[in-house]
Amino acid sequence: MITRLEGGFSGATCDPYCVVGEDIEPGTYEATIFGEGLFTDAYWEVTDSGGGIIANDFVTSAQKVTVTILAHAGQFTETMFGRGF
């Protein structure tokens, strides 16, 4: 499940990227897996409008992942999270 911590389910599916302010709003998001299971070999990044990396992480194994997308970000990219952010 993908939740915007300030406002509930995000509704965004980034496959594999979203434009900030169009496809996904700035904010803090958390991805969790229902029941047993883990995110494995996943990756996310937040970039500026020119593609420069603001923040990123390779997730080898996790039960939940939290990402903050700042208002000045240009894009958000994710892979292997199943439902997107």
Side-chain angles (χ1 to χ4, degrees), residues 5-81:
L5 296 181
E6 302 93 25
F9 179 72
S10 75
T13 300
C14 303
D15 188 22
Y17 69 90
C18 286
V19 175
V20 177
E22 293 179 21
D23 303 317
I24 194 167
E25 294 301 315
T28 300
Y29 294 83
E30 184 175 89
T32 56
I33 292 183
F34 287 113
E36 294 183 29
L38 298 170
F39 293 114
T40 59
D41 301 322
Y43 175 75
W44 64 265
E45 72 180 23
V46 178
T47 59
D48 61 27
S49 60
I53 295 174
I54 296 171
N56 68 337
D57 196 12
F58 291 96
V59 180
T60 304
S61 177
Q63 295 174 343
K64 69 178 180 177
V65 176
T66 303
V67 176
T68 299
I69 301 172
L70 302 175
H72 69 275
Q75 294 79 228
F76 170 70
T77 303
E78 60 88 9
T79 59
M80 303 304 292
F81 286 103

